Amino acid sequence: MTTTPEAGSVLMYSTTWCGYCHRLKGQLTRSGIAFTEVNIEEVPDAAAYVEQVNGGNRTVPTVVFPDGTAATNPSLAEVTARLAP
């Protein structure tokens, strides 16, 4: 279960109770970076994907970039750098 986001945007796997997810969402919004959020507790197969890219752990936020790679709990600086042309 993963879809590759459009250029310039990210796909973020999260939960409603994750403080790191809330922080990153706010930072992305303030920076004008488009993102699609997927709640791993509500979307079938989302948790399995997060576990797959995180060595069996359900660690969020897990962010997927347009090139198909993923990062776990990235900083805003990392997201911005990885989206740069």
Side-chain angles (χ1 to χ4, degrees):
M1 137 109 260
T2 184
T3 56
T4 305
E6 293 184 21
S9 69
V10 296
L11 179 64
M12 182 170 63
Y13 290 92
S14 67
T15 62
T16 56
W17 47 266
C18 169
Y20 294 108
C21 299
H22 287 286
R23 184 193 74 216
L24 185 58
K25 285 190 292 186
Q27 292 172 332
L28 294 172
T29 299
R30 287 187 297 278
S31 297
I33 297 173
F35 66 94
T36 301
E37 184 177 7
V38 177
N39 185 326
I40 67 168
E41 296 178 320
E42 296 175 357
V43 177
D45 300 326
Y49 173 76
V50 168
E51 290 173 354
Q52 174 191 341
V53 299
N54 290 301
N57 297 310
R58 288 189 181 186
T59 307
V60 290
T62 294
V63 176
V64 180
F65 296 93
D67 65 2
T69 61
T72 305
N73 196 18
S75 65
L76 177 62
E78 181 181 351
V79 172
T80 303
R82 292 183 65 176
L83 289 176

